[in-house]
Amino acid sequence: MSMPTIKAVRAFTVRGGGADYHDQAGGHWIDDHIGTPMGKYPEYRQSRQSFGINVLGTLVVEIEASDGTVGFAVTTAGEIGAFIVEKHLSRFLIGRQVTEIEKIWDQMYFATQYYGRKGVVLNTISGVDLALWDLLAKVRKEPVHALLGGPVRDELQFYATGARPDLAKQMGFIGGKLPLHHVPAEGEEGLKKNIELLAEMRSRCGDDFWLMYDCWMSLDLNYATKLAHKAHEYGLKWIEEALSPDDYWGYAELRKNVPKGMLVTTGEHEATRWGFKLLLEMGCCDIIQPDVGWCGGVTELIKISALADAHSALVVPHGSSVYSYHFVITRQNSPFAEFLMMHPVPDQVVPMFTPLLLDEPVPVNGRMKASALDKPGFGVRLNPEIKLHRPYING
Ligand SMILES: C[C@H](O)[C@H](O)[C@@H](O)[C@@H](O)C(=O)O
Ligand SMILES: [Mg+2]
């Protein structure tokens, strides 16, 4: 069967939610005094948007094949990503067969290695890679998970990330991950408030519900160690992304410091097999959390996941909607998934990349049947109501 070739590549940007889910209107729980590395500056504590967490915006990558099939994907990369796609990466796509995913990935990565390797360049490569998997699966009229070996279980189970784990428990999720609100610069008073919040949520959720803290790179080793030991009393299941992603040495120490039974997790701001090789071989964490829209896409996540499996580490991708669901359902070492509560008050389930995608599946009672992922490709469509902006044209 001769496969179609790639006829066109288009990159668009969108503001307001979507893949850049931090890009929300005011009053959203996800921008309410959450601890970050910028928290050492009081003026940047109340809102992460104040220091620019949402400056990039969403990148939409569309790839059209010679038979008219269009694959697309969305990620966090905005205009920078659109420039890289149109002015650099498109040359590795136009005219290629839709099956040449591995070779295209290799050329995109090594052609940008001199200015990329991580961050927005890898987000952009991930977006192109996800669009290629969407396109190939649509040409083959299969869901992406079928191209990855197929489901290993009948349904996904989710923990929820948001400000109200008590509501997440009522909605059937298996656990609740809280954002940490106070950083070392807020002293003992801040540490006390961090523990008080955990204690309050433990009393509301009871003893059997998973509670985790997401520290979003905001702590130092000593503070993270103290937080872990105080939080142990309230059954904290894991401490997430406590340190800078570059501090592999600190994570290796933290993993030795935390109380027995508490897990150390990280990885959402790490990229490529080489970055995760460092995390795994230096014993930095028990669970790696790559974001498939940021780590290099499905093509790279396959390699990262196999490496983790060889280290007996779990891979629980950072929430990235259908892009992680299609992967997690096919891997034994990915026993559950993350769902980010994107409603401003986390008291109801809405699609994670709302309002950008149509047909985006959501957990029901904290679970999602594999059959909810059976449409061709990643099974989602762009919302025609959302205006796309194309800042650059390739060729
Ligand atoms: C809730 C966290 O502060 C981040 O906003 C979230 O994107 C990420 O760290 C996560 O693990 O979901
Ligand atoms: Mg996180």
Side-chain angles (χ1 to χ4, degrees):
M1 165 189 179
S2 82
M3 294 304 271
T5 55
I6 295 169
K7 188 174 90 175
V9 179
R10 295 179 286 273
F12 303 95
T13 62
V14 178
R15 302 291 322 182
D20 191 357
Y21 55 85
H22 288 114
D23 190 25
Q24 300 291 341
H28 198 292
W29 71 263
I30 209 163
D31 202 34
D32 180 16
H33 202 290
I34 291 177
T36 79
M38 290 293 283
K40 61 177 87 91
Y41 303 103
E43 63 272 32
Y44 293 125
R45 279 181 196 155
Q46 177 49 43
S47 155
R48 294 192 282 188
Q49 290 189 15
S50 68
F51 72 73
I53 195 172
N54 61 328
V55 287
L56 290 176
T58 292
L59 167 68
V60 178
V61 180
E62 254 187 10
I63 304 177
E64 185 177 348
S66 51
D67 68 350
T69 309
V70 175
F72 84 95
V74 299
T75 188
T76 316
E79 293 216 4
I80 302 174
F83 178 88
I84 295 169
V85 172
E86 300 270 8
K87 301 301 181 187
H88 196 174
L89 303 182
S90 56
R91 70 188 72 188
F92 303 117
L93 291 148
I94 303 292
R96 296 292 179 79
Q97 296 225 355
V98 295
T99 48
E100 296 183 66
I101 294 181
E102 188 72 31
K103 181 174 172 185
I104 289 169
W105 193 98
D106 192 72
Q107 292 177 346
M108 290 194 295
Y109 179 76
F110 289 102
T112 58
Q113 193 175 40
Y114 74 99
Y115 69 90
R117 300 176 55 240
K118 292 185 196 294
V120 71
V121 177
L122 260 289
N123 293 15
T124 303
I125 289 174
S126 302
V128 173
D129 184 73
L130 292 168
L132 285 168
W133 280 90
D134 189 53
L135 176 60
L136 178 58
K138 282 173 175 169
V139 165
R140 292 198 157 141
K141 297 183 177 37
E142 296 211 80
V144 169
H145 64 66
L147 276 56
L148 295 172
V152 297
R153 56 184 75 88
D154 296 337
E155 63 177 18
L156 288 173
Q157 48 181 354
F158 291 84
Y159 76 85
T161 296
R164 293 294 303 273
D166 52 330
L167 299 182
K169 178 177 183 184
Q170 291 168 21
M171 291 182 234
F173 289 98
I174 56 172
K177 183 167 77 180
L178 278 162
L180 188 78
H181 289 284
H182 302 285
V183 297
E186 297 173 81
E188 290 307 312
E189 194 47 38
L191 178 57
K192 189 161 161 278
K193 286 179 186 166
N194 287 333
I195 295 302
E196 282 169 354
L197 174 63
L198 179 62
E200 171 59 21
M201 285 302 165
R202 178 53 74 202
S203 73
R204 292 188 200 182
C205 297
D207 292 340
D208 301 337
F209 188 65
W210 294 355
L211 286 177
M212 297 76 84
Y213 249 146
D214 187 317
C215 309
W216 213 75
M217 308 173 277
S218 64
L219 308 181
D220 57 60
L221 176 60
N222 178 258
Y223 189 102
T225 302
K226 284 195 301 183
L227 176 74
H229 281 269
K230 290 179 185 295
H232 192 48
E233 185 184 336
Y234 302 100
L236 190 73
K237 182 178 180 66
W238 77 61
I239 181 168
E240 177 167 328
E241 219 185 11
L243 310 176
S244 160
D246 297 317
D247 190 3
Y248 302 98
W249 303 270
Y251 276 107
E253 276 308 302
L254 179 61
R255 196 145 170 259
K256 293 178 201 146
N257 293 355
V258 298
K260 282 260 169 288
M262 185 179 292
L263 300 172
V264 174
T265 74
T266 193
E268 70 186 70
H269 295 107
E270 188 54 84
T272 79
R273 71 203 82 152
W274 298 289
F276 285 93
K277 174 181 161 86
L278 253 177
L279 282 179
L280 292 162
E281 292 188 357
M282 288 186 66
C284 297
C285 54
D286 303 281
I287 300 179
I288 61 169
Q289 301 167 303
D291 183 304
V292 66
W294 301 344
C295 71
V298 165
T299 303
E300 197 63 3
L301 186 51
I302 291 169
K303 299 179 174 76
I304 292 165
S305 176
L307 194 58
D309 206 6
H311 283 265
S312 307
L314 295 184
V315 180
V316 181
H318 170 253
S320 47
S321 183
V322 288
Y323 305 116
S324 44
Y325 309 159
H326 276 259
F327 191 86
V328 169
I329 197 89
T330 68
R331 291 300 187 271
Q332 284 293 7
N333 64 326
S334 297
F336 52 89
E338 175 181 12
F339 187 75
L340 258 152
M341 299 293 282
M342 292 317 301
H343 193 265
V345 175
D347 57 1
Q348 53 187 291
V349 169
V350 296
M352 185 182 160
F353 285 166
T354 192
L356 187 52
L357 302 178
L358 298 184
D359 309 331
E360 184 182 356
V362 293
V364 175
N365 195 29
R367 281 152 181 76
M368 186 184 294
K369 293 251 173 284
S371 55
L373 301 171
D374 275 350
K375 291 198 191 79
F378 285 108
V380 288
R381 292 175 293 139
L382 281 168
N383 180 349
E385 312 266 302
I386 304 292
K387 189 162 172 17
L388 301 179
H389 171 55
R390 188 177 183 189
Y392 306 99
I393 309 283
N394 63 62

